[in-house]
């Protein structure tokens, strides 16, 4: 849980700093995909059952939307549907590959 919360805090902080504070990014969408894919893998280590899985994945998608919405309040940042799509794709990829990568 600590690792997941730390990851979520780092992703949130990285997405909510003013644009001028960021270095040039190679591919913003790839970073969103990898961040939310990684968060999904961490979250799925905490899942207790199939019903709980839906809540975790939905919660991650909601968190991605909230981060994007909050970017409207940050100088030089704005909501981007392509970022949301990259977040969702990362969540989906993490959920699909988790059984192959995670050993319980």
């Amino acid at each position: 849980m600590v690792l997941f919360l730390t990851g979520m805090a780092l992703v949130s902080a990285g997405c909510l700093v003013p644009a001028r504070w960021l270095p040039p990014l190679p591919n913003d969408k790839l970073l969103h995909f990898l961040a939310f894919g990684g968060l999904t893998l961490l979250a799925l280590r905490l899942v207790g059952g199939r019903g709980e899985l839906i809540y975790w994945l939905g919660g991650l998608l909601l968190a991605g939307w909230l981060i994007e919405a909050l970017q409207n309040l940050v100088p030089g940042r704005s909501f981007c549907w392509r970022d949301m799509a990259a977040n969702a794709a990362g969540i989906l990829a993490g959920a699909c590959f988790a059984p192959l990568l995670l050993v319980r």
Side-chain angles (χ1 to χ4, degrees), residues 11-104:
V11 169
S12 298
C15 290
L16 294 174
V17 298
R20 69 180 188 282
W21 292 7
L22 296 172
L25 300 174
N27 188 331
D28 177 53
K29 306 312 174 244
L30 179 61
L31 294 176
H32 279 268
F33 177 84
L34 294 174
F36 277 84
L39 287 173
T40 300
L41 292 175
L42 291 173
L44 294 183
R45 296 288 298 178
L46 305 171
V47 171
R50 190 185 268 300
E52 197 175 317
L53 170 70
I54 301 302
Y55 289 117
W56 276 98
L57 297 178
L60 283 168
L61 192 59
L62 180 62
W65 175 84
L66 182 60
I67 288 169
E68 287 299 315
L70 289 172
Q71 282 185 344
N72 284 324
L73 305 173
V74 179
R77 307 294 292 266
S78 62
F79 186 95
C80 178
W81 283 107
R82 292 179 310 228
D83 287 348
M84 269 305 303
N87 295 346
I91 292 167
L92 180 62
C96 288
F97 289 110
L100 301 173
L101 301 174
L102 301 177
V103 178
R104 286 202 165 235

